[in-house]
Amino acid sequence: MKLKRLIAGLVMIGLIHVHAHAQVPQEATGADLIVHNAKIFTGNAAQPEASALAVKGGRIYAVGTEAEVLALKGASTRLIDSRGRRLIPGLIDAHTHVLNEGGYNYTLRWDGVPTLRRALAMLSEQAKRTPEGQWVKVVGGWSPYQFEEKRFPTIEEIRKAVPNRPLIVQYAYNRAFLNQQAMEAFGVGTDKFPKLPDTVLEKDAQGRYTGVIQGNTFMFIALETMVPQLSFDEEVSSLVQTVHSLNRVGVTSIVDAGTGFRGYPKAQRTVDVLARDNRLNIRMPFVDIQFADNVVDAQITAITKTAPISPGQNLHPRLAHGHTYRGAGELLSAEVHDHENFDRPAIVIPPEKWRELVERDIAKLIQRRIPFREHISYDENITPFLDALEKLNEKTPIDGLRWSLEHAETISPANIARVKALGGGIALDTKMALHGDGFIKTHGRDKALMTPRLRQLVDSGIPLAMTTDAFRAASFNPWVGISWMVSGKSVSGTEVLAKDNRLTRAEALGLFTRKAAWFMHADAEAGVIAPGYLADFVLLDKDYFSVAESQIPSISAVLTIMDGRVVYGAQDYGAMSPALPEILPAWSPIKQFGGYYTAR
């Protein structure tokens, strides 16, 4: 009898358990999104090609044939027909400066403009709509070698284009062209004008300032603080437009390499607005720069006292790698910055300065397990830096802490091996695509052909990415750099990479996808189209793997998916593109011309 009652009780418990489970809402079956009829380059060696993929919960759910993937369709699945287009993983720019572009909407972009004649006409058009009290500005992203005319504008052409508003046209961090109103506003030739080393104010035969300024990075950062600044709402609008421009060229993730204007946490305020409204349409892990007498001490204070944050902490947790703090850099000390100005000889820093940086500052980062990135362009500086880092590693082991050299244009094979042995990575950049002609004039053609040593770097197996270092030192468009890696040609058509120093199309794309994910600390979940990976991918307007090399720089997205949702659409997919708020201010050059010339 007792046994019967026990059995009955267990049955009742089971029924109650089943009933309780019946009350729990079941997750909808099927994929959230299926993209089919595509030519998919997966980046996954185990399954290099496919024709369809499925997404669920912001991750890749399945990759395979049409039949395999369409079988996962549920009642609420969204279907997108690729119409035979090429689909690739979303691009990752592992070193760029989005947070530096708080003034994006105030800047006329010459990226991709084919002729100097058109560039000057754009200046003239913008001058007519720029209100009194504001400036006409072109700040970086272009090269004189991209123009059909293959030259810089003259100061006379600049002044004629913009006669009635202050004007600055800045080429990388190398030189700037000012009209008379801008010279007066900056106080050129007076105590008001910043006095920084290595700055040359050009004069004419009569000893008058022409308006041409040659200098290095810090000069042009200083000038940017002296022009009208945006309101907070205009900065938010600028961030929206900056991200939109990146989505247009297929970028779904970036690593922000620091802002020289607003160190953490100031620059994060605009990101917070987009994150709050779930409108941050790009993954944006970041490293931080603090301009101070001691950069590293200021950074440690910022993250431990001003606004406490731990390495790896995501400030936008609703989005994986949304806005994650990834450490210090790329500037760890102003005294050792070698600037990468290809119009001038290499700046070689005394070895004792590198020892001081490593022993005094980097040691503090390693002890606190804060990842770091250090800007060094020239091998002459990489060698003493590594000398000091190897000695520090014997005393205070780096022990798996992710660190990297940024740029490293002329790194030698021996130093590649040393970086790898210390567990570091190398984040190259595409500046040679835009400025390789200038490099040849300064350093010679033979050296240019091996700058950087792409083939050796790829074959070494070191953690490696190609980046843009946008938006001032170079263009934010990765396809310009991808074209250079494949064809060996700069934007002028000049050969700047030796034939045996070029990459295949798959290798070049890998440096902006699978391999770049290491620098996000996301190498197990980003940059590849495979089940379980983040649902970030792009449909292209041209098939990257079959178009002529000359067509690669003009590739753009027709559909960009980030976190499983559409963040950009064009052509057949334009109606899917999320609506963007009105561009602020009304006279913004971005509103008229867009962020990239071919976008209009």
Side-chain angles (χ1 to χ4, degrees), residues 565-587:
R565 57 189 174 88
V566 177
V567 294
Y568 176 83
Q571 297 182 22
D572 300 342
Y573 310 97
M576 297 182 185
S577 198
L580 298 178
E582 184 71 15
I583 296 174
L584 300 176
W587 56 268

mmCIF file of all heavy atoms in Angstrom, residues 565-587:
data_model
loop_
_atom_site.group_PDB
_atom_site.id
_atom_site.type_symbol
_atom_site.label_atom_id
_atom_site.label_comp_id
_atom_site.label_asym_id
_atom_site.label_seq_id
_atom_site.Cartn_x
_atom_site.Cartn_y
_atom_site.Cartn_z
ATOM 1 N N ARG A 565 21.590 41.830 -37.951
ATOM 2 C CA ARG A 565 20.598 42.803 -38.413
ATOM 3 C C ARG A 565 21.191 43.690 -39.513
ATOM 4 O O ARG A 565 22.399 43.920 -39.556
ATOM 5 C CB ARG A 565 20.086 43.661 -37.259
ATOM 6 C CG ARG A 565 21.147 44.412 -36.490
ATOM 7 C CD ARG A 565 20.565 45.066 -35.232
ATOM 8 N NE ARG A 565 21.585 45.679 -34.406
ATOM 9 C CZ ARG A 565 22.013 46.942 -34.556
ATOM 10 N NH1 ARG A 565 21.490 47.712 -35.500
ATOM 11 N NH2 ARG A 565 22.945 47.430 -33.761
ATOM 12 N N VAL A 566 20.328 44.168 -40.370
ATOM 13 C CA VAL A 566 20.761 45.024 -41.472
ATOM 14 C C VAL A 566 21.172 46.382 -40.921
ATOM 15 O O VAL A 566 20.382 47.050 -40.241
ATOM 16 C CB VAL A 566 19.648 45.202 -42.520
ATOM 17 C CG1 VAL A 566 20.092 46.166 -43.618
ATOM 18 C CG2 VAL A 566 19.260 43.856 -43.131
ATOM 19 N N VAL A 567 22.406 46.804 -41.221
ATOM 20 C CA VAL A 567 22.854 48.135 -40.808
ATOM 21 C C VAL A 567 23.116 49.036 -42.005
ATOM 22 O O VAL A 567 23.276 50.247 -41.850
ATOM 23 C CB VAL A 567 24.114 48.053 -39.911
ATOM 24 C CG1 VAL A 567 23.789 47.370 -38.597
ATOM 25 C CG2 VAL A 567 25.273 47.347 -40.616
ATOM 26 N N TYR A 568 23.162 48.431 -43.206
ATOM 27 C CA TYR A 568 23.333 49.245 -44.412
ATOM 28 C C TYR A 568 22.747 48.472 -45.592
ATOM 29 O O TYR A 568 22.935 47.265 -45.719
ATOM 30 C CB TYR A 568 24.808 49.530 -44.699
ATOM 31 C CG TYR A 568 25.032 50.284 -45.999
ATOM 32 C CD1 TYR A 568 24.908 51.673 -46.033
ATOM 33 C CD2 TYR A 568 25.306 49.609 -47.174
ATOM 34 C CE1 TYR A 568 25.071 52.362 -47.228
ATOM 35 C CE2 TYR A 568 25.470 50.297 -48.372
ATOM 36 C CZ TYR A 568 25.356 51.666 -48.401
ATOM 37 O OH TYR A 568 25.500 52.356 -49.581
ATOM 38 N N GLY A 569 22.004 49.188 -46.450
ATOM 39 C CA GLY A 569 21.479 48.589 -47.670
ATOM 40 C C GLY A 569 21.517 49.580 -48.811
ATOM 41 O O GLY A 569 21.340 50.788 -48.616
ATOM 42 N N ALA A 570 21.784 49.089 -50.011
ATOM 43 C CA ALA A 570 21.819 49.926 -51.218
ATOM 44 C C ALA A 570 21.317 49.089 -52.391
ATOM 45 O O ALA A 570 21.178 47.864 -52.288
ATOM 46 C CB ALA A 570 23.236 50.434 -51.480
ATOM 47 N N GLN A 571 21.044 49.773 -53.503
ATOM 48 C CA GLN A 571 20.543 49.124 -54.711
ATOM 49 C C GLN A 571 19.299 48.300 -54.376
ATOM 50 O O GLN A 571 18.334 48.830 -53.852
ATOM 51 C CB GLN A 571 21.654 48.287 -55.357
ATOM 52 C CG GLN A 571 22.842 49.122 -55.828
ATOM 53 C CD GLN A 571 23.908 48.300 -56.512
ATOM 54 O OE1 GLN A 571 23.677 47.198 -57.028
ATOM 55 N NE2 GLN A 571 25.127 48.823 -56.539
ATOM 56 N N ASP A 572 19.317 46.989 -54.651
ATOM 57 C CA ASP A 572 18.133 46.145 -54.421
ATOM 58 C C ASP A 572 17.727 46.103 -52.949
ATOM 59 O O ASP A 572 16.599 45.728 -52.627
ATOM 60 C CB ASP A 572 18.398 44.702 -54.879
ATOM 61 C CG ASP A 572 18.724 44.605 -56.351
ATOM 62 O OD1 ASP A 572 18.430 45.561 -57.078
ATOM 63 O OD2 ASP A 572 19.293 43.582 -56.768
ATOM 64 N N TYR A 573 18.640 46.462 -52.072
ATOM 65 C CA TYR A 573 18.413 46.320 -50.636
ATOM 66 C C TYR A 573 18.277 47.670 -49.935
ATOM 67 O O TYR A 573 18.297 47.736 -48.704
ATOM 68 C CB TYR A 573 19.562 45.511 -50.020
ATOM 69 C CG TYR A 573 19.822 44.225 -50.774
ATOM 70 C CD1 TYR A 573 20.824 44.156 -51.739
ATOM 71 C CD2 TYR A 573 19.036 43.106 -50.564
ATOM 72 C CE1 TYR A 573 21.049 42.993 -52.458
ATOM 73 C CE2 TYR A 573 19.244 41.939 -51.273
ATOM 74 C CZ TYR A 573 20.254 41.889 -52.234
ATOM 75 O OH TYR A 573 20.457 40.731 -52.946
ATOM 76 N N GLY A 574 18.134 48.732 -50.715
ATOM 77 C CA GLY A 574 18.049 50.066 -50.131
ATOM 78 C C GLY A 574 16.908 50.215 -49.148
ATOM 79 O O GLY A 574 17.043 50.911 -48.133
ATOM 80 N N ALA A 575 15.783 49.570 -49.429
ATOM 81 C CA ALA A 575 14.617 49.693 -48.545
ATOM 82 C C ALA A 575 14.861 49.040 -47.195
ATOM 83 O O ALA A 575 14.148 49.332 -46.222
ATOM 84 C CB ALA A 575 13.398 49.075 -49.219
ATOM 85 N N MET A 576 15.826 48.145 -47.113
ATOM 86 C CA MET A 576 16.120 47.468 -45.841
ATOM 87 C C MET A 576 16.990 48.319 -44.925
ATOM 88 O O MET A 576 17.101 48.036 -43.731
ATOM 89 C CB MET A 576 16.847 46.143 -46.105
ATOM 90 C CG MET A 576 16.063 45.134 -46.888
ATOM 91 S SD MET A 576 17.045 43.608 -47.065
ATOM 92 C CE MET A 576 15.961 42.657 -48.144
ATOM 93 N N SER A 577 17.663 49.329 -45.478
ATOM 94 C CA SER A 577 18.610 50.115 -44.702
ATOM 95 C C SER A 577 17.884 50.881 -43.599
ATOM 96 O O SER A 577 16.839 51.496 -43.846
ATOM 97 C CB SER A 577 19.345 51.100 -45.616
ATOM 98 O OG SER A 577 20.517 51.575 -45.000
ATOM 99 N N PRO A 578 18.400 50.858 -42.381
ATOM 100 C CA PRO A 578 17.728 51.595 -41.301
ATOM 101 C C PRO A 578 17.743 53.095 -41.570
ATOM 102 O O PRO A 578 18.723 53.638 -42.094
ATOM 103 C CB PRO A 578 18.554 51.246 -40.060
ATOM 104 C CG PRO A 578 19.868 50.779 -40.572
ATOM 105 C CD PRO A 578 19.617 50.165 -41.910
ATOM 106 N N ALA A 579 16.658 53.749 -41.232
ATOM 107 C CA ALA A 579 16.571 55.201 -41.419
ATOM 108 C C ALA A 579 17.536 55.891 -40.474
ATOM 109 O O ALA A 579 17.660 55.524 -39.302
ATOM 110 C CB ALA A 579 15.146 55.672 -41.156
ATOM 111 N N LEU A 580 18.239 56.902 -40.994
ATOM 112 C CA LEU A 580 19.186 57.658 -40.190
ATOM 113 C C LEU A 580 18.579 59.006 -39.819
ATOM 114 O O LEU A 580 17.793 59.573 -40.582
ATOM 115 C CB LEU A 580 20.486 57.889 -40.961
ATOM 116 C CG LEU A 580 21.266 56.640 -41.372
ATOM 117 C CD1 LEU A 580 22.511 57.041 -42.163
ATOM 118 C CD2 LEU A 580 21.655 55.822 -40.160
ATOM 119 N N PRO A 581 18.942 59.534 -38.663
ATOM 120 C CA PRO A 581 18.438 60.861 -38.297
ATOM 121 C C PRO A 581 19.000 61.929 -39.215
ATOM 122 O O PRO A 581 20.003 61.723 -39.907
ATOM 123 C CB PRO A 581 18.938 61.039 -36.855
ATOM 124 C CG PRO A 581 20.088 60.104 -36.720
ATOM 125 C CD PRO A 581 19.816 58.951 -37.627
ATOM 126 N N GLU A 582 18.368 63.081 -39.207
ATOM 127 C CA GLU A 582 18.815 64.213 -40.014
ATOM 128 C C GLU A 582 20.250 64.576 -39.659
ATOM 129 O O GLU A 582 20.650 64.599 -38.490
ATOM 130 C CB GLU A 582 17.906 65.414 -39.758
ATOM 131 C CG GLU A 582 18.202 66.637 -40.599
ATOM 132 C CD GLU A 582 17.838 66.465 -42.061
ATOM 133 O OE1 GLU A 582 17.097 65.512 -42.384
ATOM 134 O OE2 GLU A 582 18.292 67.282 -42.886
ATOM 135 N N ILE A 583 21.039 64.853 -40.698
ATOM 136 C CA ILE A 583 22.440 65.215 -40.485
ATOM 137 C C ILE A 583 22.520 66.623 -39.906
ATOM 138 O O ILE A 583 21.869 67.557 -40.394
ATOM 139 C CB ILE A 583 23.224 65.149 -41.810
ATOM 140 C CG1 ILE A 583 23.253 63.706 -42.326
ATOM 141 C CG2 ILE A 583 24.652 65.658 -41.621
ATOM 142 C CD1 ILE A 583 23.882 63.563 -43.707
ATOM 143 N N LEU A 584 23.314 66.773 -38.848
ATOM 144 C CA LEU A 584 23.532 68.071 -38.211
ATOM 145 C C LEU A 584 24.989 68.483 -38.399
ATOM 146 O O LEU A 584 25.885 67.651 -38.298
ATOM 147 C CB LEU A 584 23.216 67.995 -36.714
ATOM 148 C CG LEU A 584 21.795 67.592 -36.325
ATOM 149 C CD1 LEU A 584 21.694 67.472 -34.795
ATOM 150 C CD2 LEU A 584 20.783 68.596 -36.843
ATOM 151 N N PRO A 585 25.224 69.778 -38.662
ATOM 152 C CA PRO A 585 24.268 70.855 -38.920
ATOM 153 C C PRO A 585 23.733 70.785 -40.353
ATOM 154 O O PRO A 585 24.215 69.989 -41.162
ATOM 155 C CB PRO A 585 25.118 72.114 -38.719
ATOM 156 C CG PRO A 585 26.485 71.693 -39.155
ATOM 157 C CD PRO A 585 26.629 70.268 -38.700
ATOM 158 N N ALA A 586 22.792 71.667 -40.672
ATOM 159 C CA ALA A 586 22.162 71.639 -41.994
ATOM 160 C C ALA A 586 23.155 71.922 -43.115
ATOM 161 O O ALA A 586 22.966 71.475 -44.243
ATOM 162 C CB ALA A 586 21.007 72.650 -42.034
ATOM 163 N N TRP A 587 24.239 72.662 -42.815
ATOM 164 C CA TRP A 587 25.204 73.028 -43.848
ATOM 165 C C TRP A 587 26.350 72.019 -43.973
ATOM 166 O O TRP A 587 27.303 72.224 -44.713
ATOM 167 C CB TRP A 587 25.799 74.418 -43.574
ATOM 168 C CG TRP A 587 26.438 74.552 -42.217
ATOM 169 C CD1 TRP A 587 25.839 74.982 -41.074
ATOM 170 C CD2 TRP A 587 27.802 74.245 -41.864
ATOM 171 N NE1 TRP A 587 26.729 74.963 -40.023
ATOM 172 C CE2 TRP A 587 27.937 74.521 -40.483
ATOM 173 C CE3 TRP A 587 28.905 73.786 -42.579
ATOM 174 C CZ2 TRP A 587 29.146 74.339 -39.806
ATOM 175 C CZ3 TRP A 587 30.100 73.594 -41.907
ATOM 176 C CH2 TRP A 587 30.217 73.870 -40.548
#
